[in-house]
Amino acid sequence: MPNAPVVVTVAAVTDRGQKRQANEDSLLAESPVYLVADGMGGYDAGDLASQAVVAAFREHVVGDEITTLDEVRDALSAADDAVEVVSGTTKRGAGSTVSGVALVEHDGLPHWLVFNVGDSRVYRHTGSDLEQITVDHSLGQELVDEGALRPEDLATFARRNVITRAIGAPDSTADSWLMPVTDGERLLICSDGLTSEVSDEAIRATLTMSGRPESAAEALVQRANQAGGRDNITVIVVDVVSGGGRLTNDDTTSLRFASLGLGDSMIDDTTIPVRVVV
């Protein structure tokens, strides 16, 4: 790990919303991992599924200053097993999304290992710009990728919340990216209870105008509730204070993709070039 530790300020808020009887979201905001899990399966199942995901990560990842790809993979595997146990106790079954970031070391420098299963998301906010890092595992996103649905129509697509991967489901493969830690960046990890109610532009404006992470997190949840609050809403805001790299107007980088398939033993070293927006 680099000599200077990565210093972050973090705020996490979860809210039942305006329509649901229970909160099936769970979160973990304990160094070196920050994640949101959105449970599925109804009362007494979805909440247990998301809690099982958090428990697996707390056991396998929390406790050290940094973690490793193998530890995150072990946590995902343990979470999948635990959610399958929960599912076996219900008639409807159970599952959970998970999306988050974990602090790792790569080439001697601090990086965020961004991981995702389902339609919870990770965003990166720099300056006044917002970039969605994760890609939803959903029917709507698949139709967009195939060219059968326009991206601008995704928000109003009736089946946009049908997900195609989940922890505890037949396909629980996680996608992941390695992203250099940068001083001054703000990360947002959230369940779809936020993104289904609040547009990316409104999220960007809120993150830009809000000061401390606590203010940003509370404001985002408030906006989702004001827009209808039809689902549980969970957000984590992570600000990098120091210990990361510097971002300049000319910077470009790449997100190094690593497959975290639960059955995989090798890492896919495909490099995906991405422009850093400042």
Side-chain angles (χ1 to χ4, degrees):
M1 186 69 180
N3 292 330
V6 174
V7 177
V8 300
T9 56
V10 182
V13 179
T14 186
D15 190 273
R16 181 170 57 88
Q18 303 298 304
K19 304 296 184 181
R20 297 295 180 91
Q21 294 183 348
N23 191 346
E24 297 181 35
D25 288 358
S26 296
L27 62 84
L28 180 62
E30 300 178 26
S31 179
V33 64
Y34 308 92
L35 66 83
V36 167
D38 181 357
M40 299 163 288
Y43 183 67
D44 283 341
D47 55 344
L48 294 179
S50 65
Q51 290 167 17
V53 172
V54 167
F57 273 84
R58 181 173 283 118
E59 177 183 354
H60 289 274
V61 177
V62 170
D64 296 323
E65 183 180 347
I66 63 171
T67 187
T68 66
L69 177 64
D70 285 341
E71 288 174 337
V72 173
R73 183 187 285 113
D74 289 345
L76 286 165
S77 181
D80 196 50
D81 291 342
V83 172
E84 285 186 1
V85 171
V86 173
S87 182
T89 65
T90 69
K91 293 182 179 180
R92 296 176 55 188
S96 179
T97 71
V98 63
S99 193
V101 299
L103 186 63
V104 300
E105 180 181 350
H106 177 68
D107 288 343
L109 296 173
H111 281 64
W112 292 116
L113 176 62
V114 183
F115 54 91
N116 182 59
V117 183
D119 62 354
S120 295
R121 293 180 179 176
V122 175
Y123 290 88
R124 181 174 184 257
H125 181 267
T126 54
S128 60
D129 293 292
L130 185 70
E131 177 185 9
Q132 182 180 332
I133 303 300
T134 55
V135 179
D136 294 351
H137 300 136
S138 67
L139 177 60
Q141 185 61 52
E142 287 190 355
L143 292 175
V144 168
D145 294 341
E146 294 169 359
L149 183 70
R150 297 185 304 173
E152 57 267 30
D153 294 333
L154 183 57
T156 57
F157 178 55
R159 302 182 67 192
R160 66 185 181 277
N161 292 328
V162 175
I163 65 172
T164 55
R165 298 188 204 175
I167 299 294
D171 188 353
S172 57
T173 304
D175 290 337
S176 67
W177 300 259
L178 276 176
M179 185 171 70
V181 176
T182 303
D183 290 348
E185 68 185 350
R186 169 170 279 183
L187 303 181
L188 169 66
I189 305 105
C190 60
S191 64
D192 71 326
L194 175 68
T195 55
S196 62
E197 300 285 14
V198 184
S199 68
D200 279 8
E201 172 55 27
I203 291 172
R204 184 203 65 78
T206 303
L207 293 174
T208 301
M209 298 299 294
S210 300
R212 293 184 57 80
E214 294 86 351
S215 299
E218 292 287 355
L220 288 169
V221 170
Q222 183 179 33
R223 293 194 75 150
N225 274 320
Q226 289 173 342
R230 286 163 286 192
D231 199 353
N232 308 142
I233 311 151
T234 301
V235 302
I236 302 175
V237 178
V238 180
D239 284 0
V240 179
V241 177
S242 62
R246 296 180 59 188
L247 187 67
T248 69
N249 291 335
D250 296 327
D251 276 350
T252 58
T253 189
S254 64
L255 300 183
R256 190 174 178 82
F257 178 83
S259 173
L260 284 184
L262 299 182
D264 293 346
S265 59
M266 299 297 293
I267 300 174
D268 181 357
D269 287 333
T270 306
T271 297
I272 307 173
V274 175
R275 182 171 64 94
V276 175
V277 182
V278 297

